Amino acid sequence: MTYSVADFDPAIKGALPSDFQWGYATAATQIEGSWDVDGKGVSIWDKFSQEADIRVDDKSTCKDTCRSYDLFKEDVARMKAYGVTGYRFSFSWTRIIPLGGKDDPINEAGIEFYNKLIDELLANGITPFGTIFHWDTPQTLEDRYGGFLNKEQMVPDFLRYARVCFERFGDRIKNWITVNEPGVFSLAGYAGGAHAPCRSSINEKCKEGDTSREPWLVGHTLLVAHGYACDLYKREFQPTQKGSIMITLSGNWSEPWDAADPKDIEAAERSNQFEIAWFADPLYGKNPEVDYPACMREQLGDRLPHFTEEEKKLIRGSSEYYGMNSYTSFYKRHRDTPAPPEDLKGNVDILDNNKQGQSRGPETDTVWLRSTPWGWGKLLRWIWKRYEMPIYITENGTTAKGEHGWKPQSADDVLEDPFRVEFYKGYLTEVATASQEGVIIKSFFAWSFMDNWEWSNGFTNRFGVTWVDFASAEKKRYAKRSAYFMKDFFNHMIRK
Ligand code: BG6
């Protein structure tokens, strides 16, 4: 045993409200498999992973992943055994509308799959949280007009897809998330180039792209598409379906390298604005003029799109809650040289997040996942103070080196993953104490329910509380100790 219930901090017993939702988050591309089955169309991730083997660390594709398309009933039963109250998953756009466009046909087999999944969740007492767009743009829309680079054509196509989701699933989905992490989609897909559609002028693995402009354009299209989808939902569906709608934003905490240096303090704040306020200010900001943060406008000028009057009205107030995904923290230092056109982070030097050993536990698979609960606590309070919006934590998790070597010996074998248990203990204690201070936090969805296909990391990162044997044809699942820890810890923290 790597933890004991008796050792849980009594100060946070009952810290979370009785209607607090907790569970796990996943995304269609990362778990479903069956990439071309029952009429599903091709997404940019299908193409990205299949056309060139230099793009994914282990040269894998998302053709099979965890085979959840076939095994969803087993997965729901396992989630029930893990004690969750909710499950956040995403709809695959190309399973529902294979070609993606507003005049393209609907695939009834795809609708049927999600109907069965939702019904299975509800039959097991698990509240579904549905993400409409988790990065899987239909390849046809990419080919037709450049996907999210083309706001005029993309927004109506996105809106029709959102409408189909509301019409077909809104009688049972009461918690909608329009877009997952517009920031990561824009930066990794159109700047860093590590993600589909692999457009970048700074990554030689990508063929074309303009890093100085495209990420900002794509981010803008996502925000506008989100705004129109919320407007549609609130006008036509919410009055009868009585659900809520929000967007989920990414953002890791930026801490000044030298806490006594005003320039570093400013650099860290600027970085938080580039990473978080980029989307959050237009959505939730208190400035009556809806715009991107002033420091972004100052650095990027007209490369940062301008909102039309209609967009301003649609976006401000559109998201009913603050959907928050976050993983780690970084130190930032002031930089004296002018920002190059490809700068994405507010012209700062990004430094190690393990200064003075604040990162806890063994080394993680990547520095992006180091355990920094101190920064996570600061981030929760920063968001609350700046926007005063109730927060749904929609993702948080880690990977630890070492899990790859583990092989289960029997069906009952449990991976003792002390690092993940420690990670969640630290982060969740911050959630509990922030909540006790008055920050309104309504959910915690851990990333992730099971090890899955981690985008350009393929199967090299294991994020799950369930270990998956990817070498087996049946993708056998085994519980990790953290799955039981989460159940016990939430049981301790949620008021009866
Ligand atoms: C989030 C995504 O960015 O983090 C997930 O919403 C993703 O889909 C998770 O898998 C972990 O990502 P990464 O890039 O740190 O492996």
Side-chain angles (χ1 to χ4, degrees):
M1 287 288 282
T2 55
Y3 71 92
S4 158
V5 174
D7 293 337
F8 289 169
D9 183 355
I12 54 168
K13 188 171 171 57
L16 302 175
S18 56
D19 62 351
F20 193 88
Q21 290 279 355
W22 80 272
Y24 298 99
T26 63
T29 305
Q30 298 180 266
I31 65 162
E32 284 181 2
S34 300
W35 75 285
D36 61 350
V37 166
D38 295 340
K40 182 183 168 295
V42 177
S43 80
I44 56 172
W45 278 96
D46 295 323
K47 179 167 182 219
F48 174 91
S49 65
Q50 289 177 37
E51 82 176 353
D53 69 6
I54 48 167
R55 290 180 175 165
V56 178
D57 290 350
D58 56 4
K59 304 189 192 317
S60 61
T61 70
C62 50
K63 285 181 176 175
D64 291 333
T65 63
C66 305
R67 291 192 49 206
S68 270
Y69 186 73
D70 305 315
L71 302 172
F72 72 93
K73 284 196 179 178
E74 183 190 311
D75 288 340
V76 173
R78 182 177 287 278
M79 273 186 257
K80 189 179 185 186
Y82 288 175
V84 308
T85 66
Y87 174 49
R88 174 181 173 232
F89 65 94
S90 82
F91 295 98
S92 152
W93 189 338
T94 54
R95 219 179 264 298
I96 293 174
I97 307 171
L99 301 176
K102 65 181 173 30
D103 301 316
D104 293 319
I106 294 174
N107 177 32
E108 289 300 331
I111 301 274
E112 187 52 26
F113 168 67
Y114 292 112
N115 275 335
K116 284 193 282 185
L117 171 63
I118 295 166
D119 290 346
E120 191 68 15
L121 288 164
L122 292 172
N124 284 280
I126 299 170
T127 304
F129 282 66
T131 305
I132 295 172
F133 180 66
H134 198 128
W135 305 352
D136 50 355
T137 317
Q139 184 60 43
T140 309
L141 304 187
E142 201 66 27
D143 296 340
R144 278 182 191 159
Y145 53 73
F148 281 93
L149 281 169
N150 188 329
K151 182 179 81 173
E152 274 62 40
Q153 289 189 264
M154 181 45 110
V155 170
D157 285 346
F158 183 89
L159 203 55
R160 192 286 190 112
Y161 166 48
R163 174 184 286 282
V164 172
C165 290
F166 301 145
E167 275 173 357
R168 300 302 193 91
F169 312 122
D171 56 337
R172 289 153 294 150
I173 298 272
K174 303 299 171 195
N175 300 275
W176 288 105
I177 294 158
T178 52
V179 173
N180 178 72
E181 299 188 348
V184 173
F185 182 79
S186 308
L187 297 181
Y190 296 81
H195 282 191
C198 199
R199 294 183 60 87
S200 168
S201 43
I202 53 174
N203 183 341
E204 64 204 13
K205 288 183 191 167
C206 302
K207 288 185 220 93
E208 39 187 338
D210 176 358
T211 298
S212 70
R213 299 178 57 86
E214 292 187 1
W216 315 115
L217 286 176
V218 168
H220 191 77
T221 305
L222 285 160
L223 207 43
V224 172
H226 151 85
Y228 276 100
C230 291
D231 173 64
L232 171 71
Y233 183 68
K234 289 177 188 172
R235 278 189 295 105
E236 292 192 31
F237 298 94
Q238 199 173 43
T240 50
Q241 295 183 350
K242 312 263 184 246
S244 67
I245 192 158
M246 64 180 156
I247 191 169
T248 269
L249 303 181
S250 53
N252 291 319
W253 177 248
S254 292
E255 181 76 4
W257 175 256
D258 179 351
D261 182 343
K263 285 189 168 173
D264 281 5
I265 295 173
E266 209 183 305
E269 177 60 20
R270 198 164 61 245
S271 203
N272 280 325
Q273 295 202 20
F274 264 71
E275 213 167 317
I276 304 164
W278 172 14
F279 297 100
D281 270 14
L283 287 159
Y284 312 108
K286 291 185 185 151
N287 182 349
E289 186 52 38
V290 177
D291 198 6
Y292 295 111
C295 64
M296 293 185 74
R297 183 66 66 201
E298 199 180 306
Q299 183 179 315
L300 303 168
D302 289 340
R303 287 188 282 126
L304 196 59
H306 293 271
F307 293 98
T308 66
E309 288 309 312
E310 179 171 327
E311 289 169 358
K312 287 181 186 174
K313 284 199 203 94
L314 279 174
I315 288 163
R316 177 62 56 81
S318 55
S319 182
E320 296 177 302
Y321 298 99
Y322 191 107
M324 169 185 163
N325 287 2
S326 183
Y327 288 81
T328 193
S329 314
F330 281 97
Y331 285 92
K332 304 286 166 76
R333 194 160 55 186
H334 170 76
R335 195 191 269 168
D336 270 324
T337 49
E342 297 81 18
D343 178 73
L344 307 160
K345 299 277 182 194
N347 199 31
V348 296
D349 283 325
I350 304 176
L351 297 159
D352 197 353
N353 50 6
N354 197 20
K355 184 188 180 196
Q356 297 153 0
Q358 286 102 329
S359 160
R360 303 176 4 167
E363 190 54 282
T364 45
D365 277 321
T366 79
V367 293
W368 292 107
L369 299 161
R370 281 194 182 144
S371 176
T372 57
W374 53 271
W376 160 265
K378 289 185 185 189
L379 176 61
L380 281 169
R381 290 167 182 88
W382 186 88
I383 290 172
W384 176 249
K385 191 166 164 223
R386 192 175 174 97
Y387 304 114
E388 291 178 329
M389 290 296 290
I391 299 169
Y392 275 88
I393 295 163
T394 38
E395 271 181 42
N396 168 247
T398 192
T399 68
K401 280 197 194 305
E403 290 187 32
H404 302 282
W406 185 74
K407 285 277 174 298
Q409 304 301 309
S410 73
D412 301 326
D413 209 358
V414 171
L415 171 64
E416 301 286 341
D417 53 341
F419 177 65
R420 189 169 283 98
V421 167
E422 271 309 304
F423 178 92
Y424 281 126
K425 203 187 246 181
Y427 278 64
L428 287 169
T429 299
E430 291 291 338
V431 172
T433 50
S435 183
Q436 283 170 323
E437 278 171 30
V439 179
I440 300 181
I441 305 174
K442 299 182 77 66
S443 75
F444 185 95
F445 291 98
W447 188 271
S448 180
F449 168 59
M450 60 188 153
D451 301 336
N452 58 53
W453 190 74
E454 282 294 334
W455 310 110
S456 58
N457 297 127
F459 299 112
T460 65
N461 275 0
R462 289 180 178 271
F463 273 89
V465 296
T466 310
W467 195 89
V468 178
D469 182 0
F470 292 109
S472 69
E474 64 279 32
K475 312 290 175 201
K476 281 204 67 150
R477 282 94 154 116
Y478 300 83
K480 302 182 190 178
R481 184 65 66 201
S482 47
Y484 302 112
F485 164 79
M486 294 295 258
K487 184 178 180 178
D488 289 338
F489 205 43
F490 277 107
N491 202 22
H492 175 76
M493 289 187 297
I494 295 178
R495 282 196 284 285
K496 302 285 174 298

